[in-house]
Amino acid sequence: MIELQYTNKVNKLIQNANMIAERNHHKSVQSMYLYLGAAHVKEGTLREMYHLMEPYMKQIENISNIIPAETSDTERIDRFSIPLSTHARKVWNKSIEVMKRYNQTFLNEGHIIKAFYAHLPEHPQLQKELSSMPHERIIRSVTKARDLTVYLLNKDWRYEVDPEFQICPVQAEDEKELLKWVEEHFGESWSKTLIQAFQSSEEFIPIIKAEEKGKFIGFAAFDVYKNKKGIYGPMGVLPHTRHKGVGKGLLYNALHCMQEKGYMYAVLKEAGPFEFYEKECNAKLIPVENDECEIESE
């Protein structure tokens, strides 16, 4: 069985949840502590979550004194110092389902918050105590695709990957094969977006490809989203080549091309997972607007 991998923020979330449970003298980590532990990470999207929750924080932290403790599960999950409650275990298992549904390999904070809200109606007392909070904005800030920016002028973006992989710009003769491959592995919408690159009057095609033994394994594009300049993406890498430097190689080669074209910033459109871009290119989150949004249904 493959060991579950966590992002750094989830590791911190777990530490916070353990500490909150210990502080409240509970024998199991309550589902609320996963939620509160996430907010107290205060990094990236979780910083926005904390600011949205901050006016209600005293009320939230007092919930454990108002409602009875959830029953404890018997099995302790890796990295938790005590077992989860049965309800928290449901949330945790759901978060793993969400991760797998999106074909991702690291459990992240968005998966956990999405799962928490999916199971919240099963805990009417907790739902009632949290009823005054701006849930739609919290969900949007943490679980929705977000835009980030990268400053391009303070780094040499050239990057060499393992010799078993080849990363280079796409050529005109790649069009038919690449578009078919992208549609097969990443969907028709991405394939249609990439068509813009081949219809441009510019000689350089703003798509970087990654190959293994002459077969496509990934790509990264820029300047193709609605024909807007300075927008990075979409980008896709086959699952079996992840964590081998291919994604970073595609990202860096594309950013290098954008730097060479004179761009000061790149906007990573609806990027995810956030932590990859935050770590690899110091990407900064663009704050969400304060408008209403709908909760994504499960």
Side-chain angles (χ1 to χ4, degrees):
M1 182 176 178
I2 299 175
E3 183 181 358
L4 187 63
Q5 300 183 84
Y6 308 134
T7 64
N8 289 335
K9 293 188 186 73
V10 168
N11 283 322
K12 293 177 182 179
L13 180 160
I14 293 171
Q15 293 174 2
N16 290 341
N18 284 330
M19 287 189 293
I20 296 168
E22 181 180 352
R23 187 172 68 232
N24 286 288
H25 307 290
H26 276 137
K27 295 181 180 180
S28 62
V29 172
Q30 308 289 286
S31 58
M32 182 64 200
Y33 299 164
L34 298 176
Y35 185 70
L36 190 57
H40 279 289
V41 173
K42 300 180 187 178
E43 294 178 11
T45 58
L46 296 180
R47 180 181 291 111
E48 290 186 356
M49 179 181 177
Y50 180 83
H51 288 320
L52 290 167
M53 291 172 59
E54 193 170 16
Y56 312 89
M57 197 57 73
K58 288 185 179 179
Q59 171 191 337
I60 294 168
E61 293 179 343
N62 193 45
I63 286 177
S64 60
N65 298 321
I66 298 173
I67 62 177
E70 299 162 356
T71 56
S72 178
D73 196 25
T74 56
E75 183 181 355
R76 187 176 66 83
I77 295 177
D78 179 48
R79 304 192 195 185
F80 284 94
S81 59
I82 57 176
L84 301 185
S85 72
T86 53
H87 188 73
R89 184 63 179 260
K90 286 184 179 180
V91 171
W92 192 257
N93 290 341
K94 179 67 174 180
S95 69
I96 296 171
E97 290 179 17
V98 174
M99 177 196 72
K100 291 179 178 179
R101 188 169 73 238
Y102 287 105
N103 198 28
Q104 294 176 340
T105 54
F106 276 78
L107 188 71
N108 67 42
E109 60 278 11
H111 303 142
I112 295 171
I113 298 304
K114 187 183 288 287
F116 175 83
Y117 276 105
H119 283 288
L120 185 58
E122 299 174 11
H123 199 324
Q125 288 177 294
L126 181 57
Q127 188 175 37
K128 179 181 178 182
E129 293 300 325
L130 296 177
S131 62
S132 61
M133 293 177 56
H135 296 301
E136 292 182 350
R137 291 177 63 193
I138 290 171
I139 292 169
R140 180 180 179 181
S141 69
V142 182
T143 70
K144 303 293 184 180
R146 299 285 301 276
D147 297 346
L148 302 96
T149 59
V150 179
Y151 183 64
L152 297 175
L153 302 187
N154 62 348
K155 186 177 179 66
D156 182 353
W157 296 103
R158 286 173 293 188
Y159 181 80
E160 297 293 331
V161 297
D162 190 290
E164 67 177 304
F165 307 117
Q166 297 78 48
I167 294 181
C168 62
V170 161
Q171 303 300 315
E173 55 266 27
D174 293 318
E175 178 179 1
K176 185 175 180 180
E177 184 181 358
L178 177 68
L179 295 179
K180 181 180 178 181
W181 180 84
V182 170
E183 181 173 352
E184 178 183 350
H185 293 280
F186 301 100
E188 184 180 4
S189 63
W190 278 16
S191 180
K192 287 183 176 179
T193 298
L194 295 185
I195 291 176
Q196 309 293 332
F198 294 99
Q199 295 176 343
S200 171
S201 59
E202 294 187 23
E203 182 178 349
F204 178 78
I205 299 170
I207 305 174
I208 309 298
K209 65 180 179 179
E211 295 179 322
E212 181 181 20
K213 298 178 181 179
K215 301 293 184 180
F216 292 122
I217 57 173
F219 76 97
F222 63 94
D223 288 0
V224 299
Y225 178 78
K226 296 185 178 180
N227 289 320
K228 301 298 183 182
K229 301 297 184 183
I231 304 293
Y232 174 86
M235 167 184 168
V237 179
L238 293 183
H240 79 275
T241 60
R242 293 173 186 171
H243 316 302
K244 296 182 179 181
V246 176
K248 182 176 181 178
L250 286 166
L251 171 66
Y252 272 45
N253 274 271
L255 295 181
H256 176 68
C257 289
M258 296 179 78
Q259 185 185 60
E260 290 287 292
K261 287 173 69 70
Y263 295 142
M264 179 178 291
Y265 288 93
V267 175
L268 311 185
K269 187 66 180 173
E270 297 183 349
F274 306 133
E275 195 159 65
F276 169 76
Y277 295 103
E278 290 170 339
K279 176 183 176 182
E280 300 296 354
C281 59
N282 197 31
K284 304 298 183 184
L285 196 68
I286 298 176
V288 294
E289 297 176 1
N290 293 329
D291 55 357
E292 293 297 321
C293 64
E294 295 183 359
I295 298 178
E296 180 179 335
S297 59
E298 287 297 313

